[in-house]
Amino acid sequence: MMNERDWGNPLPPDDGSIVHDTLAPDESTTEDGVMKVTGACRPGALGQRLKAATQTGSTTRVIVPNKHVARAVHEFAKAPMKDLTDSGAVPYRTAASLLTPAGDRLVRETSTPPATVELLATGGVNLTVGTETLRLPGGEAAIDADTDLPDGVFIAKDEDGTAEMKLTRGGGTTVATLDSEADLRASYAPIQGWFRPDRLSYRCDITIHYPDPADSDTLCTHDCPPQESTMATPATLTAFFEQFSVSAEGHQLEKADLRSRYRAWLDAANQTRLCSTEFGEALHSAPKIETTRREESTVIPDRAWRFSVTYER
């Protein structure tokens, strides 16, 4: 049976995520290029705030209460995905329920496993409940009354002017009517939405600050740990390539795009700007990266970015 926490509060902690242990419900706002993290938010909520705060192209200052939280924000910002898959990535979930375009909630029977989500490198999203997978084209939660939902999944519709809740599925057919919201919560769990990053990493778009333990009126700047500093070498280029792209027949990466995003990744690791010579030498010597000429550009064939990136520097 679901309890109040499952509906109104963030999702349970994800294994191994320092963000969950250090950030608590958010109580602040973002304005004038300053984003304050005074309490906690789950990774999905933190990602949504970073995405909104970094749309101008200028650096956003993120103010956190201490160095421990600064490290957590740093870890999330440099890799805003929960896990990697052979065909894409697993996003962090948000606390909000997944809604239809009409504003109705998507729910599942509590006897079914929690829904899992995979962002596909070649486009779209796989939403899996139990043994059934619902493919959502374009990555949007465009689930409506005509969607063929997995077993045990329903659309919960509020009845105007009453406390009743109607559960519908394929074709908008009503399969059950519940007397109240409490009855819905007793037998059904919400299916949460997810955070979709608009860039590979947010680390180079923000600076992270926390009060100096010796002087609370002074802000310290959180720097990347020294061991994270990397140079433009075949090894680091290969690591970036494997982390942020996947094998995808018929797709291709532009060399110029690879260079731009690799440069941003190095910047996030506290490095100086990447020059063309360094990138060219690293690419030429990277054993797992094959390039070819197509029309007037150099590309890496049969490869796609692990998740769709809409923000370009």
Side-chain angles (χ1 to χ4, degrees):
M1 179 179 295
M2 298 291 290
N3 56 36
E4 189 74 18
R5 177 177 177 81
D6 295 294
W7 283 84
N9 293 317
L11 294 176
D14 295 275
D15 294 339
S17 174
I18 189 173
V19 176
H20 288 297
D21 298 330
T22 58
L23 300 180
D26 172 55
E27 303 169 350
S28 61
T29 60
T30 300
E31 57 184 341
D32 300 329
V34 177
M35 174 176 158
K36 296 181 180 179
V37 181
T38 57
C41 44
R42 297 299 184 184
L46 175 62
Q48 289 177 317
R49 296 189 63 212
L50 285 175
K51 184 176 180 178
T54 55
Q55 294 300 306
T56 63
S58 58
T59 299
T60 297
R61 301 176 69 210
V62 180
I63 313 298
V64 300
N66 54 57
K67 192 172 184 178
H68 188 49
V69 178
R71 285 196 300 267
V73 172
H74 165 78
E75 289 296 324
F76 174 85
K78 72 177 184 178
M81 277 288 162
K82 181 180 177 181
D83 204 359
L84 309 180
T85 68
D86 291 340
S87 53
V90 177
Y92 283 108
R93 307 301 291 274
T94 64
S97 297
L98 193 60
L99 302 178
T100 70
D104 299 317
R105 289 171 289 175
L106 202 66
V107 300
R108 62 177 175 83
E109 295 174 338
T110 53
S111 58
T112 65
T116 62
V117 175
E118 181 187 16
L119 304 184
L120 302 176
T122 54
V125 172
N126 280 341
L127 177 67
T128 300
V129 182
T131 59
E132 294 186 67
T133 296
L134 177 63
R135 177 70 178 272
L136 304 176
E140 300 299 327
I143 299 170
D144 57 27
D146 294 323
T147 302
D148 187 13
L149 299 173
D151 288 342
V153 176
F154 306 92
I155 294 173
K157 299 175 64 69
D158 294 299
E159 286 298 286
D160 293 338
T162 73
E164 288 186 347
M165 302 290 302
K166 285 191 175 181
L167 298 185
T168 68
R169 48 182 298 128
T173 304
T174 298
V175 296
T177 300
L178 306 174
D179 291 335
S180 65
E181 178 77 13
D183 289 341
L184 177 69
R185 298 184 184 190
S187 301
Y188 298 89
I191 294 179
Q192 260 75 17
W194 55 85
F195 165 61
R196 173 184 283 277
D198 62 348
R199 62 205 75 181
L200 297 181
S201 169
Y202 291 89
R203 189 61 185 92
C204 51
D205 299 296
I206 64 174
T207 58
I208 306 172
H209 309 272
Y210 58 92
D212 187 335
D215 180 6
S216 59
D217 293 329
T218 301
L219 287 178
C220 297
T221 299
H222 177 77
D223 295 321
C224 298
Q227 64 270 23
E228 287 187 9
S229 295
T230 54
M231 301 301 291
T233 66
T236 58
L237 178 57
T238 299
F240 168 81
F241 182 74
E242 292 183 338
Q243 180 177 351
F244 289 109
S245 69
V246 298
S247 176
E249 187 175 355
H251 292 256
Q252 65 184 31
L253 303 181
E254 296 286 341
K255 176 184 174 181
D257 200 14
L258 175 66
R259 180 185 181 277
S260 175
R261 295 178 184 182
Y262 176 55
R263 179 185 63 195
W265 184 70
L266 289 179
D267 289 346
N270 201 28
Q271 289 302 298
T272 56
R273 288 288 179 180
L274 174 72
C275 71
S276 297
T277 302
E278 290 174 323
F279 174 73
E281 292 175 350
L283 181 61
H284 178 73
S285 303
K288 295 184 179 181
I289 307 178
E290 297 182 1
T291 62
T292 188
R293 291 288 297 180
R294 288 186 178 170
E295 296 180 351
E296 297 182 358
S297 63
T298 299
V299 302
I300 296 87
D302 298 324
R303 202 78 184 179
W305 292 113
R306 189 175 290 280
F307 51 91
S308 175
V309 178
T310 57
Y311 181 89
E312 300 293 345
R313 288 181 179 80

